[in-house]
Amino acid sequence: MYNKEVIIQATITLIEEKGEHLEEITVRDICKNAGVGLGLVNYHFGSKEKLIEMCVERIINGIVERFQNMRKETEALSSFEKLEYLGNMTLDFLFEHSAVSRISVLTDMQTPKADDNTHRTYAAYLPLVAACRPDLDEAAINRKTLYLITIMQQTFLRYETMSQTLRIDLSKRENRKIFHSQVLHDILEV
């Protein structure tokens, strides 16, 4: 296997092992797990931080693809219920994998790309929003989908402040489900 890919796989394994403690991952650990020399991380990726960002993006890409392929699990649900289901899965993932999710969301905000995780999430939600509101034109569907993704990112990034403002503990799954359902009703006006 190519050195660069070996380093990526070793880093992903460490990210999964460390969970919320990504600061504990060292270049030495990465290189030891990959069986490569210390200089290769900087040579291929420029820095440990850039390597971790790339690995986080790859992890999130896998989750987004899973979201896009959830059809079997939800085929008996209405469009609105599918949107609720996907939103709850998204929020649960964000909160359960907060270190990885924070890196992903903030990277997308700081250096947006045409096919970043935020855009891929948007693309997964777009047909569901359209199915919930077939009476709306394309521009309105695009805006409503963008509102939804933005609110979910902000719910995650600013959950403590939002919890105080809304007087609901958004760190609790059941409260997030209630909040998400309210947001969907507000945005979709259904």
Side-chain angles (χ1 to χ4, degrees):
M1 192 183 298
Y2 180 57
N3 278 344
K4 191 172 180 179
E5 188 59 32
V6 169
I7 294 169
I8 290 169
Q9 291 306 316
T11 305
I12 288 173
T13 299
L14 285 168
I15 289 169
E16 290 169 349
E17 287 172 9
K18 298 292 183 183
E20 298 307 304
H21 304 285
L22 296 181
E23 72 282 354
E24 294 176 8
I25 298 174
T26 66
V27 173
R28 190 172 301 283
D29 292 336
I30 293 167
C31 292
K32 181 180 174 191
N33 283 11
V36 299
L38 281 173
L40 287 180
V41 167
N42 284 339
Y43 175 76
H44 286 297
F45 305 99
S47 69
K48 176 185 86 168
E49 290 73 23
K50 287 182 181 173
L51 169 60
I52 288 177
E53 282 179 16
M54 175 189 284
C55 292
V56 165
E57 184 173 328
R58 192 177 279 190
I59 291 167
I60 300 293
N61 282 344
I63 299 301
V64 170
E65 285 175 22
R66 196 178 95 220
F67 288 168
Q68 290 174 332
N69 296 323
M70 65 173 212
R71 288 175 187 35
K72 279 193 177 181
E73 297 169 40
T74 62
E75 61 190 6
L77 302 177
S78 71
S79 296
F80 186 86
E81 290 168 329
K82 288 177 186 178
L83 199 53
E84 267 186 322
Y85 180 86
L86 180 58
N88 290 326
M89 278 181 61
T90 301
L91 287 167
D92 288 347
F93 179 86
L94 290 170
F95 279 84
E96 290 166 10
H97 303 91
S98 63
V100 168
S101 297
R102 185 171 303 279
I103 291 169
S104 176
V105 172
L106 293 175
T107 298
D108 288 356
M109 287 181 174
Q110 291 169 347
T111 53
K113 297 180 200 134
D115 197 30
D116 61 18
N117 290 320
T118 297
H119 182 75
R120 294 183 72 197
T121 302
Y122 169 87
Y125 277 77
L126 190 64
L128 291 174
V129 172
C132 287
R133 289 300 307 271
D135 57 312
L136 297 178
D137 65 21
E138 184 179 348
I141 296 297
N142 289 339
R143 283 192 310 274
K144 288 181 181 293
T145 305
L146 181 61
Y147 301 157
L148 179 57
I149 300 303
T150 303
I151 288 171
M152 286 195 301
Q153 288 177 332
Q154 290 300 303
T155 299
F156 164 65
L157 290 173
R158 300 175 48 85
Y159 81 91
E160 291 168 336
T161 304
M162 288 180 72
S163 291
Q164 289 174 350
T165 301
L166 300 170
R167 292 182 173 81
I168 181 173
D169 184 356
L170 292 170
S171 67
K172 296 188 186 244
R173 185 173 194 258
E174 201 53 42
N175 290 344
R176 285 194 307 269
K177 285 177 75 171
I178 292 166
F179 175 70
H180 178 63
S181 182
Q182 290 169 336
V183 166
L184 286 175
H185 283 286
D186 290 346
I187 290 173
L188 297 174
E189 302 169 291
V190 293

